[in-house]
Amino acid sequence: MELLKDRIKKDGKVLSEHVLKVDSFLNHQIDPELMLAIGKEFAERFADEKITKIVTIESSGIAPSVMAGLYMKVPVIFARKRKSLTLNDDLLTATVHSFTKNETNEISLSKKYLSNEDRVLVIDDFLANGQAALGLVEIVEQAGAQIAGIGIVIEKSFQEGAQLLKEAGLRVESLARVASLSNGEVSFVNENVEELV
Ligand code: 5GP
């Protein structure tokens, strides 16, 4: 998605060879117009998948997910990273190791919002080693629902997440695929060359 890649080039900050900071439009300050375009792109890419629900994880997955939900006309559920006092009914849970925070959290979501009739699109802001997405997939499967695919705003293709998810038979659609963060620069996967291979 060119609009997103241009924005990453313009405003993304390379913190290390492994971490990209996009606090000015996705992870702290949010650009609603860009999120709306991202939601539309997800809706178009998954248009044939008969999706009934979107599942994401707090907090940075929520903005792109809500915009996708708006276009797809389906509800959005976000998994919580901490136990909430009001979220004490029947829970679906999975253990996720956070790449950026280097801590392990139990993520949870109330059973009442997913059923075995749902076809779910999982959305997240970043894909690194795939632990967050795999945790969400695990929760959706616990509910007996089907996974229709994984929608990622920024995939870091040099980490193992995308490959792990694809090996698990999941359809992964990433709107920007970062090939490397070397020398303080963002370079993207050349999708045209890849298609020819
Ligand atoms: P994974 O579970 O795939 O290893 O990592 C995905 C999660 O870690 C995302 O939900 C995102 O919050 C965070 N994350 C991973 N890599 C980056 C990064 O380079 N920049 C930012 N801002 N977040 C990241």
Side-chain angles (χ1 to χ4, degrees), residues 3-124:
L3 185 67
L4 174 62
K5 291 203 267 186
D6 290 347
R7 190 61 179 270
I8 294 169
K9 278 270 180 208
K10 185 166 149 271
D11 293 332
K13 304 271 178 281
V14 176
L15 290 193
S16 72
E17 295 227 327
H18 291 98
V19 180
L20 175 65
K21 185 168 172 168
V22 287
D23 270 24
S24 65
F25 60 90
L26 179 59
N27 290 142
H28 193 21
Q29 175 171 264
I30 294 173
D31 179 342
E33 281 184 68
L34 180 64
M35 293 304 124
L36 196 63
I38 284 171
K40 185 165 185 258
E41 182 78 22
F42 280 136
E44 284 168 5
R45 293 196 190 197
F46 289 98
D48 297 333
E49 294 283 357
K50 300 192 170 61
I51 284 154
T52 62
K53 297 262 167 80
I54 294 172
V55 167
T56 188
I57 184 163
E58 66 177 353
S59 50
S60 297
I62 296 176
S65 297
V66 167
M67 296 309 190
L70 195 62
Y71 276 102
M72 299 170 106
K73 299 191 167 47
V74 299
V76 176
I77 314 158
F78 63 92
R80 293 187 188 262
K81 289 180 180 160
R82 271 171 220 90
K83 286 260 155 59
S84 143
L85 284 178
T86 55
L87 193 72
N88 50 13
D89 34 41
D90 272 351
L91 294 179
L92 303 164
T93 60
T95 302
V96 169
H97 184 77
S98 161
F99 172 74
T100 41
K101 299 199 180 98
N102 196 19
E103 61 184 29
T104 302
N105 288 308
E106 185 154 273
I107 63 166
S108 52
L109 185 152
S110 170
K111 269 186 188 158
K112 70 178 170 217
Y113 296 119
L114 280 178
S115 84
N116 58 6
E117 291 179 5
D118 282 315
R119 270 184 68 73
V120 174
L121 171 61
V122 167
I123 288 182
D124 202 8

Side-chain angles (χ1 to χ4, degrees), residues 149-166:
I150 316 281
I152 298 291
V153 180
I154 304 174
E155 169 189 310
K156 290 182 294 175
S157 309
F158 55 87
Q159 290 176 283
E160 66 183 8
Q163 200 185 334
L164 276 180
L165 295 173
K166 285 174 194 166

